[in-house]
Structure formats: C-alpha cells, structure tokens
Amino acid sequence: MSMHATARRLGDGLRHEVLVNGRHVVITDEPVRLGGTDSGPAPHELLPAALASCIATMIALYAANRGWDLGDVPVAVHYDNEATPRRFDVEIRLPAGLSDDQVTRLRRVADTCPVRRALEAGFTFDERIVIAAEPAARDVAA
C-alpha cells in the first residue's frame, strides 16, 4: 500500500497545510524563534508523534481483539534528532495486573508497528524538481 502527502504553504510564513491521502489535513509550522508562528508541530516533530500513535494503536487493536481491557495506555516517544545515529526512546505504560505472557505479547506487538518497521528498515529517495510552466500569454484586445 502506498500513501501520499502534499504540502502547500499558507500565506508568506512557514505554516503549511499537508493533505494526507486526500482525506486528512495536518497543519505544520515552525517555532517563533525560527520565524514561524508555532501554530502547529514542526515537520520533524511529526516523526515521534507518528511512532507514538502507531505503537498505541497497535496495542489497542491487539488488546481489543483479545478482549483485554487495558484502559488508557500512554506511549511516550522522545526523539533525539541530534544524536548519531538518530535515537528514539519509547516508554509504554501498561496497567498493573497483566500476566508476563500478556506483557511479552504487547511488547512484540509494539515492535511490529509499521512506523517503527519503516524507520528500522531505512529509506531510499527518488526526488525530482519540476519547474512550473509559464502561464499562457493572454490575448490583448486593441
């Protein structure tokens, strides 16, 4: 399955509207210290957000399919974008009372999150720049 996102600048600042798969809109911006208005997360802030929400969703789906009532399972992700290699610290807060087997299964489920697998596998980039065509000359009536 492939996915698609298109970013378009809003106004003359650093705020962008990102259309995701033609169905959802995410607003990104930069902090004020970088010239933005901080009206949305910066693009690189979406990376830990995607990982945290992916892990939380996988755990919720797995638990629901087994009839396990886990309640709220917070997943915190800290992303160190200055480390080499880049580093994610993930903390999953499971409720008390789970068996060792349940905890082991939920750890495996977290490890299979599609965002995590993509990050671990690495990426290749095919990038091209397309120059917009000149607007057609308008007929000028004399």
Side-chain angles (χ1 to χ4, degrees), residues 80-88:
D80 186 348
N81 66 330
E82 294 179 356
T84 303
R86 304 290 192 256
R87 180 176 174 76
F88 290 98

Side-chain angles (χ1 to χ4, degrees), residues 114-127:
V115 172
R116 178 184 176 142
R117 290 188 321 192
L119 291 167
E120 289 175 334
F123 298 89
T124 61
F125 293 86
D126 292 323
E127 185 174 320

Side-chain angles (χ1 to χ4, degrees), residues 92-140:
I92 303 165
R93 291 191 171 256
L94 296 175
L98 295 175
S99 70
D100 289 343
D101 181 57
Q102 286 175 307
V103 171
T104 298
R105 287 180 180 190
L106 292 171
R107 174 178 285 284
R108 274 193 234 136
V109 166
D111 289 347
T112 65
C113 153
V115 172
R116 178 184 176 142
R117 290 188 321 192
L119 291 167
E120 289 175 334
F123 298 89
T124 61
F125 293 86
D126 292 323
E127 185 174 320
R128 65 185 178 282
I129 295 176
V130 178
I131 306 298
E134 291 290 327
R138 295 185 180 186
D139 294 335
V140 179

